Amino acid sequence: MFRTALRNVFAHKARLLMTVLAVMLGVAFVSGTLVFTNTITDAYQKSSAKGFDHVDVAVRAEGREDTGDTLAEQPELTQALLRKAEGVSGARSAIGVVSGFTALADKDGDLVGNGFQSQGGNYWGTHDPRYPVTEGRAPHGENEVLLDSETARRTGYHVGDTVRMSVDGPVLSPRVTGIFTTDDGNVAAGGSLVLFDTPTAQHLLGKPGTYDEIDVEAAAGTSQRELRAALGKALPADAVETTTGRQLADDQAEAIAASMSGLKQGLLVFAGIALFVGTFIIANTFTMLVAQRTKELALLRAVGASRRQVTRSVLIEAFVVGLAAALSGLLLGIGIGAGLRALIGTFGASVPDGPLVVTAGTVGAALAVGVVVTMLAAWLPGRRAAKIPPVAAMNSLHAKATTKSLVVRNTLGSLLAGAGVAAVLYATTLSGSEGRAPMGFGAVLLVIGVFVLTPLLSRPLIAASAPVLRIFGMSGKLARQNSVRNPRRTAATASALMIGLTLITGLTVIAGSLQGAIDRMAASSIRADYVVSMANGGPLSPKVAEQLAATDGVTALSPLRNAPARINGETENVTGVDGADIGRLTAPTMDGGSFRVEGTRIVVDDDMAKDQGWKVGSRFTAAFEDGARKTLTVAGVYQGNEMVRGIMVDNATLTPHLDDVSDMQVMVSTSGGASEKTKDRLEKALGDNPGISVQDKQDISDSIAQIFTLMLNMLYGLLAMAVIVAVLGVVNTLAMSVFERAQEIGMLRAIGLDRRGIKRMVRLESLVIALFGGVLGIGLGVFFGWAAGELFSSSLPTYELALPWARMALFLLLAGLVGVLAALWPARRAARLNMLTAIKSE
């Protein structure tokens, strides 16, 4: 039986080619994902570990929990603590570390990096071992900085150049005194690192005389554990925490691995989708091969082969095919992983140097996935063939499905689809987080149910194409009949395309509806012409609001200041606003009272009011950072959303109690409204600051739309793999169908159907099957998009379902194009058959 199986594999090499390609692509996706993520993870872990070469023990401030009605005073790492750490037995040296966001402009005035990766820090003394200076010297004073070598290379800055930057709003113009090298992962990812001298860094990025961390290096002969123990005894335990450099490196490695795991899991999901689609091709292929060899298998049964041996022979064929596909997919995946790593550079990012990582786990996963998927998909056709009685198989080449089996299949499909719809509808009645699991479960059941029912659905849906197919005469009539001749085969071919289009349509519906909800939210809750904020979302200096207030044309302005306060034994964030102008800058819907913020009168969103049991006129006591307590009165309750929410207090009331005054954003209204001229005037008033973003409502919507568009394009690209596999399935099914119907095609040629008619018949058959899968996929995608939107609507009141009719029409058109392209080779092959040879074939 083993030799028989191998002979069958080599006898049907061409017919198995598409199956090998489908499995190979899925395996390549899996192995490429693992190679790429493992390579990137390894490179970043090794690079980040180098950053701890000069850190044996790190000392950080210990966070304290708020208790009672007071906010806990957070400890600080002072100069006195640094000297104490440096003087501990076993310590060789200690360095105070200061870091924070620093926006650097390139020579065109654009922000270097993407905001979050634009960092600043301190250079320790005249020789900092963390940052070897390759050109120039260390910085001294507020007007001198160092730049990392990668940023200098990308921007073209040299020693002696003047650069423009900002840390919290006001523009700085220091001179570059030196260039240094670093293993910082942010720099490797395309960000920038700017170094000031320590006093300047403390003034700009933190608090004078304090540090974010103290790094202690051990003396010769002292281990990291011994140094940590000594520091633990010498430093106040309730104010600081200590961590060894080895533990920091391990934690950083875990953090990098965790950050990459999301990407890895996401890519593997799409690889799984491609493999799942590939199972339809495999099942179709082996079903047709087994059907073509029915007499042969019956003869094996007649001469003594058991059912198990027949099934085993089919599985051996599947094993050989899966192994070949897995090995070729592994090699292709290694190339994909290397290519993806090189591709990162084209997007402006870079990765630390390191070898391509191909682990034993990657090899094992590729081989296991390819072989197991192929054998599982081939098991059912093999089992079905083994169950056919030898006598019946010898008398009929194609054993038709019994009425009982069709009834069982349709009943099972109806039950699965009904349960899936019920679960999805039930999930729409739950809140967002509670409804995800039942909705996901229901979606899986529904997709499986529709797949099981697809043979039943194919007849009426394909019959609907009859009026159009009549235009093509006999070729169209034959194409329609061929499409429904074998409903199971048609179903498996169409279902592969259906799954890809279901996901693509669903994602498009959700993204478009969310974008519309955000546009409506911005229009309904923001009256301000502009919102000014830091590029990384960090705090703004109060000087920014002062500069804007002094700008011509500004008619209303309110800085938004976030601060903690103890309310009813819990720490809550309150937002300081300009009470006189905030009503002209925001327009939330009021549930009660008035939007009046002045003195001790505040407004609160509906969720907070519900949680606290407040209503208009309620009074409560808030304890601020300086320990002062104020009795506040609820003047109004408004409907909060993602843009406007929380407790709003007049800045005149809040600001005197803040230790460090900073704004999260500034809302601005102007006399001329939003326009390019007004925006340019505001940006110039802020010194054309690279770190500050000035956005009107359209800019806010566009920035969010850009995120959706980027995500959609990435998902389209990933799902394209599943569509490609589905195309291979259509090609494979048609090619084998042509071989199977060679005698019939020869007869059609003999009675007058020319080669052009044969081609048209095969192409129309492919088109009908592809459009059938497209209609099912788009229909399911719309349903899932609506259901997912119902989950969003519970937390996003402005959400409304928006159907992208133009894109759905495009998807259907692309499905038809897929059918036409997939039929090119099979149609040409059918037309070139020699009619006499075809008529004589069995």
Side-chain angles (χ1 to χ4, degrees):
M1 295 304 295
F2 180 76
R3 288 196 300 271
T4 301
L6 289 180
R7 179 182 61 80
N8 286 326
V9 170
F10 290 111
H12 303 108
K13 295 189 294 292
R15 282 177 253 174
L16 290 170
L17 178 61
M18 293 299 173
T19 297
V20 172
L21 286 175
V23 179
M24 182 188 73
L25 287 175
V27 172
F29 208 154
V30 172
S31 55
T33 295
L34 295 175
V35 169
F36 171 65
T37 53
N38 288 340
T39 297
I40 299 298
T41 301
D42 182 72
Y44 275 115
Q45 286 176 345
K46 290 179 177 177
S47 175
S48 65
K50 293 179 183 178
F52 299 108
D53 287 346
H54 300 282
V55 183
D56 288 310
V57 178
V59 180
R60 295 171 177 169
E62 176 74 40
R64 295 178 179 174
E65 293 186 3
D66 303 327
T67 58
D69 292 330
T70 60
L71 294 167
E73 184 178 349
Q74 299 302 308
E76 297 176 341
L77 300 180
T78 62
Q79 187 68 25
L81 275 176
L82 185 143
R83 292 197 189 97
K84 201 168 186 178
E86 192 173 24
V88 166
S89 175
R92 178 183 177 185
S93 62
I95 293 176
V97 178
V98 183
S99 62
F101 172 71
T102 301
L104 174 70
D106 59 21
K107 290 187 176 183
D108 295 326
D110 298 323
L111 180 65
V112 176
N114 60 11
F116 292 96
Q117 294 173 334
S118 302
Q119 296 294 313
N122 67 312
Y123 188 85
W124 190 254
T126 57
H127 177 72
D128 193 329
R130 302 171 298 169
Y131 308 113
V133 176
T134 57
E135 294 181 52
R137 59 168 178 82
H140 297 288
E142 296 185 356
N143 295 316
E144 295 183 354
V145 294
L146 293 176
L147 285 187
D148 70 85
S149 55
E150 278 300 306
T151 298
R153 180 186 62 80
R154 289 194 296 262
T155 59
Y157 285 129
H158 301 282
V159 174
D161 289 347
T162 298
V163 296
R164 299 178 65 256
M165 63 180 62
S166 173
V167 297
D168 63 353
V171 177
L172 307 174
S173 301
R175 184 170 61 89
V176 178
T177 63
I179 307 294
F180 66 92
T181 59
T182 179
D183 295 312
D184 188 285
N186 283 326
V187 174
S192 61
L193 181 59
V194 179
L195 299 181
F196 308 89
D197 66 10
T198 298
T200 303
Q202 289 175 329
H203 172 69
L204 294 174
L205 305 175
K207 186 177 180 180
T210 64
Y211 303 97
D212 299 318
E213 180 177 303
I214 297 175
D215 293 340
V216 186
E217 188 175 0
T222 303
S223 68
Q224 291 186 353
R225 288 187 178 182
E226 291 171 342
L227 179 57
R228 184 188 178 192
L231 288 167
K233 293 178 181 178
L235 302 179
D238 62 338
V240 301
E241 60 179 359
T242 56
T243 311
T244 63
R246 184 181 302 276
Q247 184 62 50
L248 288 174
D250 291 343
D251 292 344
Q252 184 75 2
E254 288 182 12
I256 292 172
S259 65
M260 292 300 295
S261 67
L263 173 63
K264 180 186 293 186
Q265 291 171 5
L267 292 175
L268 288 176
V269 165
F270 288 97
I273 292 170
L275 285 168
F276 181 63
V277 171
T279 59
F280 295 113
I281 299 177
I282 302 166
N284 244 4
T285 301
F286 278 92
T287 298
M288 296 170 76
L289 286 176
V290 167
Q292 292 166 13
R293 286 163 33 211
T294 302
K295 288 186 177 180
E296 175 189 329
L297 294 175
L299 184 60
L300 288 174
R301 290 286 310 282
V303 298
S306 65
R307 287 184 178 182
R308 183 174 297 178
Q309 285 178 310
V310 171
T311 304
R312 190 182 303 151
S313 72
V314 176
L315 291 179
I316 291 172
E317 293 181 48
F319 174 80
V320 175
V321 171
L323 184 62
L327 289 173
S328 56
L330 175 61
L331 295 176
L332 179 60
I334 293 173
I336 290 174
L340 286 174
R341 176 178 172 175
L343 188 64
I344 291 179
T346 63
F347 293 102
S350 57
V351 178
D353 293 331
L356 198 66
V357 179
V358 183
T359 65
T362 299
V363 176
L367 294 177
V369 165
V371 173
V372 170
V373 166
T374 308
M375 293 183 69
L376 284 177
W379 174 76
L380 190 59
R383 183 173 176 270
R384 189 183 299 134
K387 291 175 67 175
I388 301 175
V391 175
M394 287 183 180
N395 291 332
S396 175
L397 181 60
H398 305 294
K400 296 183 179 180
T402 64
T403 303
K404 179 181 177 182
S405 68
L406 293 175
V407 170
V408 170
R409 178 178 182 131
N410 293 337
T411 302
L412 178 62
S414 300
L415 291 174
L416 288 171
V421 171
V424 170
L425 293 177
Y426 168 71
T428 60
T429 64
L430 305 176
S431 63
S433 58
E434 294 175 348
R436 291 173 189 167
M439 181 166 292
F441 178 69
V444 172
L445 285 181
L446 179 55
V447 169
I448 295 174
V450 170
F451 165 65
V452 175
L453 286 173
T454 304
L456 178 65
L457 297 173
S458 63
R459 290 186 179 277
L461 288 178
I462 292 177
S465 64
V468 178
L469 292 176
R470 287 198 192 100
I471 299 173
F472 300 97
M474 183 56 65
S475 295
K477 181 179 180 181
L478 290 172
R480 184 180 64 80
Q481 291 175 348
N482 289 334
S483 300
V484 295
R485 175 186 295 183
N486 192 326
R488 287 185 174 180
R489 185 184 303 169
T490 299
T493 306
S495 294
L497 191 59
M498 175 193 77
I499 292 170
L501 283 178
T502 295
L503 294 169
I504 290 173
T505 304
L507 291 170
T508 304
V509 170
I510 293 170
S513 301
L514 282 174
Q515 181 58 45
I518 291 168
D519 289 344
R520 287 186 290 273
M521 183 188 298
S524 63
S525 61
I526 299 178
R527 286 181 180 174
D529 295 321
Y530 294 98
V531 176
V532 180
S533 60
M534 290 298 292
N536 71 329
L540 277 168
S541 168
K543 293 181 180 179
V544 172
E546 295 173 5
Q547 291 172 326
L548 291 170
T551 304
D552 291 340
V554 173
T555 57
L557 175 146
S558 175
L560 273 61
R561 294 173 183 164
N562 285 351
R566 292 290 287 179
I567 301 172
N568 295 334
E570 296 180 359
T571 302
E572 304 285 356
N573 277 325
V574 298
T575 302
V577 297
D578 187 303
D581 284 348
I582 190 63
R584 299 158 61 188
L585 299 167
T586 60
T589 302
M590 301 300 297
D591 284 346
S594 61
F595 200 77
R596 183 181 178 187
V597 183
E598 62 177 2
T600 59
R601 298 174 65 85
I602 59 101
V603 293
V604 61
D605 69 66
D606 49 352
D607 289 336
M608 176 71 73
K610 183 179 179 180
D611 291 341
Q612 297 288 350
W614 295 336
K615 56 184 179 180
V616 176
S618 296
R619 305 180 72 189
F620 61 92
T621 301
F624 298 110
E625 286 181 319
D626 62 351
R629 298 160 62 85
K630 287 275 188 181
T631 299
L632 305 177
T633 303
V634 177
V637 177
Y638 65 92
Q639 294 180 9
N641 54 49
E642 295 298 323
M643 295 185 177
V644 180
R645 61 167 50 187
I647 302 172
M648 292 190 185
V649 184
D650 196 338
N651 275 328
T653 302
L654 179 64
T655 303
H657 305 294
L658 300 182
D659 295 335
D660 182 22
V661 179
S662 61
D663 303 326
M664 294 309 297
Q665 57 183 221
V666 181
M667 304 180 79
V668 182
S669 283
T670 59
S671 56
S675 66
E676 284 299 320
K677 184 177 180 181
T678 303
K679 184 176 181 178
D680 289 341
R681 185 164 67 248
L682 294 177
E683 289 177 341
K684 283 184 171 56
L686 297 173
D688 290 323
N689 196 311
I692 291 183
S693 171
V694 180
Q695 295 180 305
D696 59 20
K697 284 183 281 190
Q698 188 60 49
D699 291 332
I700 294 172
S701 296
D702 290 346
S703 64
I704 297 172
Q706 187 176 13
I707 296 173
F708 284 137
T709 301
L710 178 62
M711 291 178 62
L712 267 182
N713 289 339
M714 290 176 60
L715 294 173
Y716 286 164
L718 294 170
L719 288 171
M721 180 69 73
V723 175
I724 291 172
V725 173
V727 172
L728 293 177
V730 178
V731 175
N732 197 36
T733 301
L734 289 174
M736 296 191 73
S737 180
V738 167
F739 176 84
E740 186 179 85
R741 302 198 317 254
Q743 188 178 56
E744 175 187 319
I745 292 173
M747 188 65 68
L748 289 172
R749 290 287 314 282
I751 62 176
L753 191 63
D754 59 9
R755 290 186 174 183
R756 183 176 296 178
I758 294 292
K759 285 184 179 180
R760 187 181 300 122
M761 176 188 72
V762 176
R763 288 171 183 165
L764 289 173
E765 179 183 348
S766 176
L767 178 63
V768 168
I769 293 174
L771 289 176
F772 171 52
V775 169
L776 286 180
I778 292 172
L780 282 175
V782 170
F783 176 70
F784 290 141
W786 165 81
E790 291 299 300
L791 291 183
F792 291 123
S793 63
S794 61
S795 57
L796 199 60
T798 56
Y799 184 91
E800 293 178 6
L801 180 67
L803 294 180
W805 294 105
R807 287 208 176 189
M808 288 193 296
L810 177 62
F811 294 156
L812 194 59
L813 180 64
L814 290 175
L817 182 62
V818 163
V820 172
L821 294 177
L824 291 178
W825 176 60
R828 186 169 179 268
R829 183 182 177 189
R832 294 181 65 181
L833 285 175
N834 183 288
M835 71 176 73
L836 295 179
T837 304
I839 290 173
K840 289 188 296 181
S841 66
E842 294 187 3

